[in-house]
Amino acid sequence: GEDVEQSLFLSVREGDSSVINCTYTDSSSTYLYWYKQEPGAGLQLLTYIFSNMDMKQDQRLTVLLNKKDKHLSLRIADTQTGDSAIYFCAESRMDAGNMLTFGGGTRLMVKP
Amino acid sequence: EAGVVQSPRYKIIEKKQPVAFWCNPISGHNTLYWYRQNLGQGPELLIRYENEEAVDDSQLPKDRFSAERLKGVDSTLKIQPAELGDSAVYLCASRISGANVLTFGAGSRLTVL
């Protein structure tokens, strides 16, 4: 079945860039997503990319997709303490009702 | 727009007791999902509805879990009887059919003692 893997933890200093990585196994993925989850809260969609794209930029966020290697990354520029949260990578397939398959999440800690 | 509304936000019960969670999706969203998120893990799909029809419930433990979406709008997820391992956050999400973005509710956190 589908599998999405992420590293568990990332620590950066305020003002630095953060790069969160994700690998997936399903070559039929249609969309790939990044969600943010703060303590006690639901999942907030940050951005998503269609599988035929290789890059998407949205303000401080840059998503890079290497479809050949099935590797997705999220770069956060000028990381702030408010960016501290758990970040989930997810993939979906249109022929599976756009059901999301999530990675285990990467906890980002931003030190002042 | 109210977003996806879930209740209760928190529930503590003893094992073998029943529990129910309620979800009100965004108005007009035909597709509704229930996910379970165990501590320290990503969410996993339990069931997906297209209107009132459950089209994917392969991951729902049917011996103790049940769900319904009678009028194709609100949905309830029930566990009876609850077990210790059911402690988790139960997330509801919805989307308009054909759209590629799901909107999640804040979740219902269940603790089974």
Side-chain angles (χ1 to χ4, degrees):
Chain A
E2 303 85 6
D3 200 16
V4 181
E5 300 281 342
Q6 299 178 240
S7 53
L8 287 176
F9 188 75
L10 176 66
S11 178
V12 300
R13 292 216 172 268
E14 192 173 19
D16 289 349
S17 292
S18 308
V19 179
I20 303 171
N21 294 301
C22 169
T23 58
Y24 60 98
T25 57
D26 189 355
S27 57
S28 301
S29 296
T30 310
Y31 289 95
L32 294 123
Y33 304 79
W34 285 103
Y35 279 85
K36 176 183 180 183
Q37 188 175 41
E38 296 180 274
L43 293 160
Q44 174 196 353
L45 177 67
L46 288 178
T47 187
Y48 65 95
I49 188 168
F50 189 48
S51 58
N52 70 354
M53 298 171 62
D54 52 21
M55 188 183 90
K56 181 177 180 181
Q57 187 153 4
D58 183 1
Q59 298 182 342
R60 293 191 297 123
L61 305 179
T62 303
V63 178
L64 295 178
L65 174 61
N66 182 327
K67 196 171 182 181
K68 174 176 169 290
D69 294 339
K70 300 190 184 70
H71 181 268
L72 182 75
S73 68
L74 174 69
R75 179 176 180 270
I76 306 173
D78 187 24
T79 313
Q80 303 297 306
T81 54
D83 295 325
S84 293
I86 301 176
Y87 290 80
F88 290 95
C89 167
E91 59 92 22
S92 72
R93 287 168 37 199
M94 286 182 69
D95 63 355
N98 271 349
M99 179 195 87
L100 295 181
T101 300
F102 286 87
T106 299
R107 181 178 294 275
L108 173 65
M109 179 180 288
V110 182
K111 298 177 182 177
Chain B
E1 192 173 73
V4 177
V5 179
Q6 292 188 245
S7 69
R9 287 295 316 277
Y10 304 94
K11 189 75 176 178
I12 301 173
I13 61 172
E14 294 189 341
K15 63 181 180 182
K16 300 185 182 178
Q17 294 300 304
V19 64
F21 304 110
W22 175 79
C23 173
N24 180 228
I26 293 174
S27 178
H29 282 201
N30 324 63
T31 309
L32 182 146
Y33 307 78
W34 282 103
Y35 280 82
R36 176 168 61 186
Q37 185 177 19
N38 292 314
L39 187 65
Q41 298 181 20
E44 295 179 325
L45 182 72
L46 291 174
I47 190 167
R48 170 171 67 100
Y49 281 93
E50 294 291 344
N51 299 302
E52 65 274 9
E53 183 183 358
V55 295
D56 184 355
D57 63 356
S58 57
Q59 302 303 312
L60 191 72
K62 296 181 184 62
D63 56 337
R64 297 182 300 106
F65 285 65
S66 64
E68 59 183 18
R69 193 185 185 198
L70 292 174
K71 296 183 180 178
V73 180
D74 295 3
S75 177
T76 55
L77 176 70
K78 297 178 182 177
I79 309 174
Q80 183 170 11
E83 296 179 353
L84 295 176
D86 296 331
S87 295
V89 176
Y90 291 84
L91 293 162
C92 180
S94 70
R95 70 176 175 93
I96 294 176
S97 291
N100 54 24
V101 174
L102 276 67
T103 302
F104 282 84
S108 294
R109 181 180 294 275
L110 173 66
T111 302
V112 182
L113 303 176

